[in-house]
Every structure is written in structure tokens, then in C-alpha cells.
């Protein structure tokens, strides 16, 4: 009977210790969760980057994978959320070939951020241009020029009755063949976010 009592006491003590260990572990997890705040980068955030390889409409197809490196630390409040030398990955989303009158153009989509320790975060953005993020697409130079008379009136006496003509050279209706567009290696560019990015991981010194 005494042995049974001792056995029950040991089992009861073991159960109490197990519950205490679980409670302490849970408290530690909860504490870590409370101390962590997810940071969201808003739509329209600009991120300076450098291009690592030449990207050209002449040699690269649609879907061609590209890589950029951030050139500055990006802080929000006191947290360095995107350290310098973080990597951005994407691809050429759209290519328009050159035609008569218009240069080639392309759009480059950005899909992933990789922090220096290898942690990856999905993002949505484009390599930025003021032309709706389209590189190239400019009108080409005229291929012909035409002479057109330009008339001017001169004041004589009390009336404007004398007209003289001068020839002016103006672009004609035909334009040159378009050229391919490229972004050289080492070129400074800017990524613009087109959707909020949730930064779920940051580096600490």
C-alpha cells in the first residue's frame, strides 16, 4: 500500500513538472510573438538598385530572369528593413519589337526580395520609369524633311498689306526604323512597389 502511495506521488510530481515546462515554453513563444512587429512597405515605395547584367530587347526574350542589388539601406522608423546589397529578382514581362516610327520597349517585373542571410520575401513591383514603367517606346527621328513656305505680314503705312515668304524645313510624314533598347550592366535604376510588401524578417546587428 505504501509503495502504491509513493508511485502515485511520483506520477503526480512528474505531471506537475511537465505542465510547468509546457507553460514556460508557451510563455516564451508568446513573449517572442509579442515582441515581433511585422512591417509593411506601402505601394509606391521606391528602392534604389543597380543592374547586374545587360538587359536588351535584342538579345533577351520575354520571361528572361533578371537580378538587381539594392544600393542603400532602407529604414522604416529605426529598423533597417532592406539592408544594402539585398537581392531583387524578376523577369522581362513584356517586349515590343522595334517598328518603323517607334523604338523597341520592355517592362520588367520584380517578384522576390532576398535578404543577405538568404531569407526570401515575395513582392510585387516593376523597374520604374515615368512612362508607366516602360523602357523605350520612343518615337524615332524623321526620315525625311520638307521645305514649306512661311508667310509674314509687314506693316506699311497705316495697314498690314505686304506679305513676304520664307522657306522653313519641317519633318515629313515618314520616320526611321526603330532601335532596340537596353539597360547596361552597372546601371542605376529604381524599383517601385505596386502592392504592399510584408517584411516578415529583418537582420539584427
Amino acid at each position: 500500500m505504501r509503495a502504491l502511495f509513493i508511485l502515485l506521488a511520483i506520477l503526480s510530481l512528474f505531471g506537475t513538472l511537465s505542465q510547468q515546462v509546457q507553460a514556460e515554453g508557451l510563455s516564451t513563444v508568446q513573449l517572442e510573438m509579442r515582441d515581433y512587429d511585422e512591417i509593411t512597405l506601402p505601394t509606391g515605395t521606391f528602392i534604389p538598385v543597380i543592374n547586374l547584367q545587360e538587359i536588351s530587347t535584342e538579345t533577351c526574350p520575354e520571361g528572361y530572369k533578371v537580378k538587381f542589388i539594392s544600393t542603400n539601406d532602407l529604414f522604416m522608423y529605426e529598423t533597417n528593413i532592406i539592408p544594402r546589397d539585398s537581392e531583387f529578382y524578376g523577369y522581362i514581362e513584356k517586349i515590343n519589337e522595334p517598328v518603323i516610327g517607334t523604338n523597341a520597349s520592355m517592362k520588367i517585373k520584380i517578384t522576390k526580395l532576398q535578404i543577405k542571410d538568404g531569407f526570401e520575401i515575395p513582392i510585387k513591383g516593376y523597374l520604374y520609369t515615368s512612362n508607366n514603367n516602360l523602357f523605350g517606346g520612343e518615337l524615332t527621328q524623321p526620315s525625311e524633311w520638307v521645305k514649306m513656305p512661311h508667310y509674314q505680314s509687314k506693316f506699311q503705312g497705316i495697314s498690314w498689306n505686304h506679305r513676304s515668304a520664307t522657306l522653313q524645313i519641317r519633318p515629313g510624314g515618314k520616320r526611321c526604323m526603330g532601335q532596340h533598347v537596353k539597360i547596361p550592366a552597372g546601371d542605376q535604376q529604381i524599383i517601385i512597389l505596386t502592392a504592399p510588401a510584408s517584411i516578415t524578417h529583418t537582420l539584427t546587428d
Side-chain angles (χ1 to χ4, degrees):
M1 189 70 181
R2 183 178 180 182
L4 178 61
F5 176 76
I6 293 173
L7 179 61
L8 290 174
I10 292 173
L11 291 174
S12 176
L13 179 61
F14 179 78
T16 301
L17 290 174
S18 177
Q19 291 176 358
Q20 183 176 357
V21 170
Q22 291 178 358
E24 289 179 355
L26 182 60
S27 297
T28 302
V29 172
Q30 289 175 341
L31 181 61
E32 291 175 353
M33 291 294 288
R34 284 196 297 268
D35 287 345
Y36 179 78
D37 292 324
E38 182 178 301
I39 299 173
T40 300
L41 284 176
T43 300
T45 298
F46 288 113
I47 305 170
V49 294
I50 190 170
N51 181 30
L52 292 184
Q53 78 273 30
E54 181 178 279
I55 306 171
S56 171
T57 56
E58 185 175 15
T59 58
C60 302
E62 288 185 357
Y64 182 81
K65 295 181 179 179
V66 295
K67 178 181 177 181
F68 303 89
I69 299 291
S70 59
T71 56
N72 299 311
D73 293 322
L74 181 61
F75 284 85
M76 181 169 283
Y77 307 110
E78 297 180 354
T79 303
N80 185 4
I81 52 177
I82 301 181
R84 180 177 179 175
D85 296 330
S86 295
E87 298 176 352
F88 291 84
Y89 294 87
Y91 62 94
I92 300 177
E93 182 183 57
K94 178 67 175 176
I95 288 180
N96 295 312
E97 295 292 333
V99 296
I100 294 176
T102 307
N103 289 328
S105 62
M106 61 180 169
K107 265 192 172 184
I108 299 176
K109 189 171 186 177
I110 306 300
T111 58
K112 184 174 68 175
L113 158 66
Q114 182 173 299
I115 306 296
K116 290 191 292 183
D117 63 355
F119 191 86
E120 297 181 353
I121 300 172
I123 62 173
K124 293 181 179 179
Y126 283 92
L127 210 60
Y128 172 77
T129 75
S130 58
N131 185 26
N132 194 29
N133 306 322
L134 188 71
F135 284 82
E138 306 91 352
L139 290 177
T140 61
Q141 293 294 322
S143 62
E144 64 176 8
W145 297 83
V146 295
K147 295 180 180 180
M148 298 185 63
H150 177 69
Y151 294 98
Q152 293 179 326
S153 297
K154 290 185 178 181
F155 183 76
Q156 288 187 341
I158 61 173
S159 63
W160 295 83
N161 57 9
H162 179 72
R163 303 182 71 194
S164 62
T166 58
L167 290 178
Q168 292 184 342
I169 298 178
R170 297 184 178 181
K174 296 181 180 180
R175 290 188 174 269
C176 297
M177 180 65 187
Q179 302 294 318
H180 283 281
V181 62
K182 68 178 180 179
I183 304 173
D187 204 33
Q188 298 278 346
Q189 295 293 332
I190 294 175
I191 290 173
I192 182 172
L193 296 182
T194 54
S198 296
I199 307 301
T200 57
H201 176 82
T202 56
L203 296 179
T204 56
D205 296 330

